[in-house]
Amino acid sequence: MKDFFGLGEARWRRSDGRLHCYIVPPAPVRELAAQYQQVMRQHEIVSVQPPEWLHMTVQSIDRHRGEIDDGVVTELAEVLTARMTAIAPFPVTVGPAMVGVHVVSLFVPPPATALRKLMITTRDAVAEVLGGDAVPPISPRWAPHISLAYGRAAGSSDPLIRAVKDAWLAPVTFSVDAMHLVLAEPRDGGYVWDTLQTLPLTGQAT
Protein backbone atom coordinates (compact mmCIF):
# COMPACT_ATOMS: atom_id res chain seq x y z
CA MET A 1 0.00 0.00 0.00
CA LYS A 2 1.13 3.56 -0.73
CA ASP A 3 0.63 6.78 1.21
CA PHE A 4 -2.59 8.36 -0.10
CA PHE A 5 -1.90 11.75 1.47
CA GLY A 6 1.63 11.87 0.10
CA LEU A 7 0.37 12.25 -3.44
CA GLY A 8 0.76 16.03 -3.24
CA GLU A 9 -2.56 16.95 -4.80
CA ALA A 10 -2.36 20.72 -5.30
CA ARG A 11 -6.12 21.12 -5.23
CA TRP A 12 -6.13 20.25 -1.50
CA ARG A 13 -3.41 22.66 -0.39
CA ARG A 14 -5.72 25.53 0.52
CA SER A 15 -7.32 25.75 3.94
CA ASP A 16 -10.82 26.82 2.87
CA GLY A 17 -12.05 23.44 1.63
CA ARG A 18 -13.32 22.19 -1.72
CA LEU A 19 -16.85 21.66 -2.93
CA HIS A 20 -18.06 18.09 -3.42
CA CYS A 21 -21.30 16.24 -3.93
CA TYR A 22 -21.61 13.28 -1.56
CA ILE A 23 -23.99 10.48 -0.73
CA VAL A 24 -24.00 9.98 3.04
CA PRO A 25 -24.62 6.32 3.96
CA PRO A 26 -27.17 5.33 6.63
CA ALA A 27 -26.58 3.50 9.91
CA PRO A 28 -26.49 -0.09 8.50
CA VAL A 29 -23.61 0.87 6.21
CA ARG A 30 -21.76 2.65 9.01
CA GLU A 31 -22.17 -0.48 11.15
CA LEU A 32 -20.75 -2.65 8.35
CA ALA A 33 -17.86 -0.22 7.96
CA ALA A 34 -17.15 -0.21 11.69
CA GLN A 35 -16.77 -3.98 11.76
CA TYR A 36 -14.23 -3.93 8.92
CA GLN A 37 -12.46 -0.95 10.45
CA GLN A 38 -11.95 -2.78 13.73
CA VAL A 39 -9.70 -5.18 11.81
CA MET A 40 -7.92 -2.37 9.95
CA ARG A 41 -6.94 -0.54 13.13
CA GLN A 42 -4.33 -3.22 13.75
CA HIS A 43 -2.43 -2.17 10.61
CA GLU A 44 -0.40 1.02 10.91
CA ILE A 45 -0.13 1.62 7.15
CA VAL A 46 -3.71 2.94 7.06
CA SER A 47 -5.69 5.66 8.81
CA VAL A 48 -9.34 4.79 9.42
CA GLN A 49 -12.06 7.18 8.24
CA PRO A 50 -14.35 7.91 11.22
CA PRO A 51 -17.84 6.42 10.67
CA GLU A 52 -19.54 9.81 11.02
CA TRP A 53 -17.56 11.06 8.01
CA LEU A 54 -18.16 8.10 5.69
CA HIS A 55 -19.32 9.15 2.25
CA MET A 56 -19.61 8.14 -1.37
CA THR A 57 -18.31 10.82 -3.73
CA VAL A 58 -20.71 11.55 -6.57
CA GLN A 59 -18.61 14.41 -7.93
CA SER A 60 -15.60 16.39 -6.80
CA ILE A 61 -15.66 20.03 -7.84
CA ASP A 62 -12.49 21.95 -8.68
CA ARG A 63 -13.46 25.02 -6.72
CA HIS A 64 -12.43 26.09 -3.24
CA ARG A 65 -14.98 27.91 -1.12
CA GLY A 66 -12.94 31.10 -1.15
CA GLU A 67 -13.06 31.22 -4.95
CA ILE A 68 -16.83 31.65 -5.21
CA ASP A 69 -19.20 34.02 -3.45
CA ASP A 70 -22.34 33.13 -1.53
CA GLY A 71 -24.60 33.95 -4.48
CA VAL A 72 -22.86 31.44 -6.72
CA VAL A 73 -23.08 28.73 -4.05
CA THR A 74 -26.81 29.47 -3.73
CA GLU A 75 -27.23 29.29 -7.51
CA LEU A 76 -25.38 25.98 -7.65
CA ALA A 77 -27.61 24.54 -4.93
CA GLU A 78 -30.71 25.73 -6.75
CA VAL A 79 -29.63 24.25 -10.09
CA LEU A 80 -28.69 20.96 -8.45
CA THR A 81 -32.04 20.84 -6.64
CA ALA A 82 -33.86 21.37 -9.92
CA ARG A 83 -31.84 18.63 -11.64
CA MET A 84 -32.62 16.17 -8.86
CA THR A 85 -36.29 16.23 -9.96
CA ALA A 86 -35.15 13.97 -12.81
CA ILE A 87 -33.59 11.39 -10.46
CA ALA A 88 -35.75 8.96 -8.49
CA PRO A 89 -34.49 7.32 -5.29
CA PHE A 90 -32.66 4.08 -6.05
CA PRO A 91 -31.06 1.16 -4.19
CA VAL A 92 -27.30 0.73 -3.91
CA THR A 93 -25.42 -2.31 -2.62
CA VAL A 94 -22.00 -1.83 -1.01
CA GLY A 95 -19.48 -4.45 0.02
CA PRO A 96 -17.52 -6.46 0.64
CA ALA A 97 -14.42 -4.40 1.52
CA MET A 98 -11.48 -4.41 -0.89
CA VAL A 99 -7.88 -3.23 -0.45
CA GLY A 100 -6.51 -1.00 -3.22
CA VAL A 101 -3.18 0.72 -3.80
CA HIS A 102 -3.99 3.74 -1.64
CA VAL A 103 -7.32 3.00 0.04
CA VAL A 104 -9.58 0.34 1.54
CA SER A 105 -13.17 0.67 0.34
CA LEU A 106 -16.63 -0.79 0.20
CA PHE A 107 -17.13 -1.14 -3.52
CA VAL A 108 -20.37 -1.03 -5.48
CA PRO A 109 -20.78 -3.95 -7.88
CA PRO A 110 -21.12 -2.90 -11.54
CA PRO A 111 -22.82 -1.66 -13.60
CA ALA A 112 -23.95 1.02 -11.07
CA THR A 113 -26.16 2.54 -13.75
CA ALA A 114 -28.22 4.73 -11.41
CA LEU A 115 -25.11 6.14 -9.75
CA ARG A 116 -23.61 6.99 -13.13
CA LYS A 117 -26.82 8.79 -14.12
CA LEU A 118 -26.67 10.77 -10.88
CA MET A 119 -23.03 11.63 -11.51
CA ILE A 120 -23.64 12.79 -15.10
CA THR A 121 -26.65 14.87 -14.03
CA THR A 122 -24.57 16.45 -11.27
CA ARG A 123 -21.67 17.17 -13.60
CA ASP A 124 -23.98 18.92 -16.05
CA ALA A 125 -25.41 21.11 -13.28
CA VAL A 126 -21.96 22.03 -11.92
CA ALA A 127 -20.68 22.88 -15.40
CA GLU A 128 -23.73 25.06 -16.06
CA VAL A 129 -23.02 27.21 -13.01
CA LEU A 130 -19.24 27.04 -12.58
CA GLY A 131 -18.00 26.13 -16.05
CA GLY A 132 -16.70 22.91 -17.54
CA ASP A 133 -13.30 23.28 -15.90
CA ALA A 134 -14.95 22.79 -12.49
CA VAL A 135 -15.58 19.09 -13.18
CA PRO A 136 -12.51 16.85 -13.53
CA PRO A 137 -12.59 14.31 -16.38
CA ILE A 138 -14.25 10.98 -15.65
CA SER A 139 -11.60 8.35 -15.07
CA PRO A 140 -11.83 5.25 -17.29
CA ARG A 141 -11.39 3.34 -14.01
CA TRP A 142 -14.41 5.08 -12.42
CA ALA A 143 -15.94 2.86 -9.76
CA PRO A 144 -18.24 4.16 -7.01
CA HIS A 145 -17.16 3.23 -3.49
CA ILE A 146 -17.13 4.24 0.17
CA SER A 147 -13.61 4.68 1.52
CA LEU A 148 -13.03 3.03 4.90
CA ALA A 149 -9.32 3.77 5.37
CA TYR A 150 -6.57 5.63 3.55
CA GLY A 151 -2.93 4.66 3.11
CA ARG A 152 -0.74 6.75 5.39
CA ALA A 153 2.60 4.99 4.95
CA ALA A 154 4.23 2.97 2.21
CA GLY A 155 4.50 -0.72 3.01
CA SER A 156 3.35 -4.20 2.17
CA SER A 157 -0.42 -4.46 2.12
CA ASP A 158 -0.41 -8.28 2.10
CA PRO A 159 -1.25 -8.68 5.83
CA LEU A 160 -4.04 -6.12 5.49
CA ILE A 161 -5.42 -7.85 2.41
CA ARG A 162 -5.52 -11.17 4.26
CA ALA A 163 -7.15 -9.61 7.33
CA VAL A 164 -9.87 -7.88 5.31
CA LYS A 165 -10.53 -11.02 3.29
CA ASP A 166 -10.82 -13.11 6.47
CA ALA A 167 -13.23 -10.56 7.95
CA TRP A 168 -15.65 -10.93 5.00
CA LEU A 169 -19.10 -9.57 5.79
CA ALA A 170 -22.30 -9.67 3.79
CA PRO A 171 -22.93 -6.61 1.58
CA VAL A 172 -25.56 -4.06 2.61
CA THR A 173 -28.20 -2.50 0.37
CA PHE A 174 -29.61 0.93 1.12
CA SER A 175 -31.80 3.49 -0.62
CA VAL A 176 -30.24 6.67 -1.98
CA ASP A 177 -32.87 9.37 -1.60
CA ALA A 178 -30.69 12.48 -1.32
CA MET A 179 -27.34 13.94 -2.31
CA HIS A 180 -25.40 16.54 -0.32
CA LEU A 181 -23.47 19.57 -1.54
CA VAL A 182 -20.62 19.80 0.94
CA LEU A 183 -17.43 21.65 1.73
CA ALA A 184 -14.77 19.00 2.38
CA GLU A 185 -11.19 19.05 3.61
CA PRO A 186 -8.56 16.51 4.67
CA ARG A 187 -7.94 16.15 8.41
CA ASP A 188 -6.05 13.63 10.55
CA GLY A 189 -5.56 11.15 7.73
CA GLY A 190 -9.18 11.27 6.55
CA TYR A 191 -11.79 13.72 5.29
CA VAL A 192 -14.36 15.86 7.07
CA TRP A 193 -17.03 18.16 5.67
CA ASP A 194 -19.79 20.67 6.31
CA THR A 195 -23.10 20.19 4.49
CA LEU A 196 -24.07 23.30 2.52
CA GLN A 197 -27.30 21.91 1.06
CA THR A 198 -29.19 18.62 1.16
CA LEU A 199 -30.58 17.78 -2.28
CA PRO A 200 -33.49 15.28 -2.21
CA LEU A 201 -33.96 12.98 -5.20
CA THR A 202 -37.54 13.79 -6.15
CA GLY A 203 -37.94 12.07 -9.52
CA GLN A 204 -40.51 9.37 -10.17
CA ALA A 205 -39.49 5.75 -10.64
CA THR A 206 -40.26 4.36 -14.08
Side-chain angles (χ1 to χ4, degrees):
M1 176 163 282
K2 298 182 180 179
D3 179 5
F4 184 87
F5 292 94
L7 297 177
E9 298 182 46
R11 62 182 181 272
W12 281 110
R13 289 178 183 167
R14 293 174 54 140
S15 61
D16 53 349
R18 279 181 63 218
L19 295 173
H20 285 71
C21 290
Y22 283 167
I23 292 168
V24 179
V29 177
R30 296 196 301 272
E31 292 165 5
L32 174 68
Q35 293 181 70
Y36 275 119
Q37 290 174 327
Q38 189 63 33
V39 173
M40 297 174 202
R41 294 181 194 279
Q42 304 169 29
H43 298 267
E44 295 182 353
I45 61 172
V46 293
S47 57
V48 170
Q49 175 78 349
E52 63 268 29
W53 300 115
L54 290 173
H55 59 277
M56 180 185 296
T57 301
V58 177
Q59 183 61 51
S60 60
I61 301 173
D62 276 343
R63 292 290 187 274
H64 288 83
R65 181 64 182 90
E67 297 173 328
I68 54 179
D69 61 30
D70 292 347
V72 175
V73 174
T74 298
E75 180 185 1
L76 177 59
E78 290 174 347
V79 171
L80 284 166
T81 297
R83 295 295 181 94
M84 293 305 102
T85 62
I87 307 291
F90 57 90
V92 168
T93 299
V94 292
M98 299 178 66
V99 179
V101 176
H102 302 285
V103 66
V104 185
S105 301
L106 294 172
F107 275 90
V108 177
T113 304
L115 282 168
R116 179 173 282 274
K117 179 181 178 181
L118 178 61
M119 178 184 65
I120 295 300
T121 301
T122 300
R123 290 173 63 87
D124 289 346
V126 172
E128 177 182 324
V129 178
L130 299 178
D133 64 333
V135 285
I138 301 173
S139 169
R141 298 188 300 275
W142 175 82
H145 61 276
I146 296 174
S147 296
L148 303 179
Y150 299 95
R152 67 178 184 185
S156 173
S157 59
D158 289 346
L160 178 62
I161 292 171
R162 289 193 295 271
V164 170
K165 184 177 180 180
D166 289 345
W168 187 94
L169 296 163
V172 168
T173 299
F174 69 101
S175 178
V176 176
D177 56 13
M179 185 174 70
H180 302 263
L181 176 64
V182 308
L183 190 64
E185 61 178 299
R187 184 186 300 168
D188 300 328
Y191 290 98
V192 301
W193 74 87
D194 291 318
T195 297
L196 303 178
Q197 184 75 36
T198 298
L199 310 162
L201 309 186
T202 56
Q204 299 298 312
T206 57

